[in-house]
Amino acid sequence: MTRQEKIEMVAGTSNHPAKFIEELTADNDQLLENLVVVAKAQIANETAEQVFEAMA
């Protein structure tokens, strides 16, 4: 996954513009990686909730 793709994924789950995430993580790749982990967990939780609702 490219840096830009990571930034866009984090922006999509955080309600912050991509430019903000890009500037926030410009000098800190580890922060971006941590935000990606959080974003992936949030996406997984949302998916699980949708599956559960579909089964109900």
Side-chain angles (χ1 to χ4, degrees):
M1 182 180 295
T2 67
R3 178 173 175 77
Q4 190 60 38
E5 289 171 330
K6 292 175 183 178
I7 289 170
E8 289 174 12
M9 178 174 41
V10 171
T13 60
S14 69
N15 297 323
H16 292 291
K19 185 71 175 165
F20 174 79
I21 302 301
E22 186 174 355
E23 291 174 4
L24 181 68
T25 62
D27 297 328
N28 193 339
D29 287 335
Q30 188 58 52
L31 175 58
L32 179 58
E33 293 302 322
N34 291 345
L35 291 172
V36 167
V37 169
V38 171
K40 286 181 178 180
Q42 192 171 7
I43 291 167
N45 286 339
E46 290 172 2
T47 302
E49 287 176 11
Q50 291 172 356
V51 169
F52 181 74
E53 289 173 4
M55 292 173 60

